[in-house]
Amino acid sequence: MQPRRKDEQLAQDGRFKNRLIVLLLIMQAVALWKFSTYPSQLDVYTAPDISRAFVQRVGDVPAGTVYGFARTLWETVNYCEKDCRSEYPAALNKYNAFFTKSCLKDLNDRFARQAEFFDARARRLLPTDNAVSDLSKVSKQSTELWHLVLEYQLDDDINGVTTRNQIMQYPLKIVHNSVPTQYNPWGLAIDCFWEEPRVIQYNNDKLEKP
């Protein structure tokens, strides 16, 4: 009877080892699957001021980054050297990765309704004294959404004749964007307006008003 018990013990040990091997293989497969789901890269936004230390979570976007992104994009898209009727829609198309789809449609629809108004019109958005690096205008609503008020001096002219010169405020929504970084390295997008843009000062009452 002793040999049989020894064989049974060996068989039992073998089954235990086989189960252990299967368990280890399953754990390895789960670990490999979990590793494959990790992002290939992490977006880390660093503050421009490196003179002092700061604590920041991965993916957390500083107010300065949101502000800089919005100002740079809004000024660029709304700049027309000679003819906004052709330059403005071309700019929207060129920078479409920096807008949400719904916002891009809204801006194009607004343009289509008054395309003739833009004919042969040059346009510039110039920063006002109250607008430069004003991070108080950035309000974080969530980890994915920011409320930002941009202030500009809006200058329009037709054939060198100034037609509009006024101070404007643009209340914008900024959101996280999942567009690949090769198209949008900021990882942010403008989602149009919290409320309609408004004129806060006319610099010359004799010039045209909207």
Side-chain angles (χ1 to χ4, degrees):
M1 297 300 294
Q2 185 68 25
R4 174 184 286 182
R5 288 198 297 273
K6 186 174 183 180
D7 290 342
E8 290 176 351
Q9 183 65 39
L10 289 174
Q12 184 177 0
D13 291 345
R15 288 194 296 271
F16 175 76
K17 291 178 181 179
N18 289 337
R19 290 170 185 159
L20 183 60
I21 291 173
V22 171
L23 178 62
L24 291 174
L25 289 175
I26 292 175
M27 291 175 63
Q28 185 179 27
V30 171
L32 290 174
W33 172 78
K34 191 65 177 177
F35 180 77
S36 69
T37 62
Y38 287 163
S40 59
Q41 64 182 32
L42 296 175
D43 295 328
V44 179
Y45 297 84
T46 57
D49 181 8
I50 60 174
S51 63
R52 55 184 177 180
F54 70 102
V55 177
Q56 179 182 315
R57 294 180 179 178
V58 173
D60 189 24
V61 187
T65 300
V66 175
Y67 189 82
F69 162 77
R71 287 202 69 88
T72 301
L73 179 59
W74 202 246
E75 291 170 14
T76 301
V77 169
N78 284 280
Y79 174 75
C80 304
E81 183 179 5
K82 295 180 180 178
D83 183 7
C84 274
R85 186 164 188 172
S86 60
E87 294 177 48
Y88 180 69
L92 288 178
N93 182 63
K94 180 178 179 179
Y95 297 101
N96 67 83
F98 299 93
F99 293 90
T100 62
K101 292 182 179 180
S102 59
C103 180
L104 199 62
K105 181 180 185 305
D106 180 42
L107 293 177
N108 277 302
D109 289 345
R110 289 169 182 259
F111 171 77
R113 290 194 295 268
Q114 50 181 337
E116 294 182 359
F117 175 79
F118 290 93
D119 197 27
R121 182 179 295 264
R123 171 168 293 180
R124 296 163 299 280
L125 293 180
L126 305 175
T128 64
D129 293 338
N130 296 327
V132 178
S133 300
D134 188 356
L135 299 185
S136 66
K137 299 287 182 73
V138 181
S139 175
K140 185 177 181 179
Q141 306 297 307
S142 70
T143 57
E144 303 286 329
L145 176 64
W146 295 264
H147 176 201
L148 170 63
V149 179
L150 294 181
E151 184 177 297
Y152 289 102
Q153 176 181 311
L154 170 63
D155 287 349
D156 279 5
D157 67 69
I158 299 176
N159 297 323
V161 178
T162 300
T163 58
R164 279 206 293 184
N165 180 260
Q166 57 201 36
I167 306 300
M168 295 285 300
Q169 282 190 345
Y170 299 92
L172 299 178
K173 286 190 287 186
I174 311 298
V175 298
H176 260 305
N177 196 347
S178 59
V179 173
T181 55
Q182 67 187 90
Y183 302 109
N184 182 348
W186 292 83
L188 299 171
I190 291 180
D191 193 27
C192 277
F193 309 107
W194 285 95
E195 55 190 37
E196 286 299 307
R198 54 186 176 269
V199 181
I200 61 174
Q201 178 183 328
Y202 292 101
N203 293 334
N204 191 330
D205 291 337
K206 294 182 180 179
L207 301 180
E208 70 178 43
K209 300 179 181 180

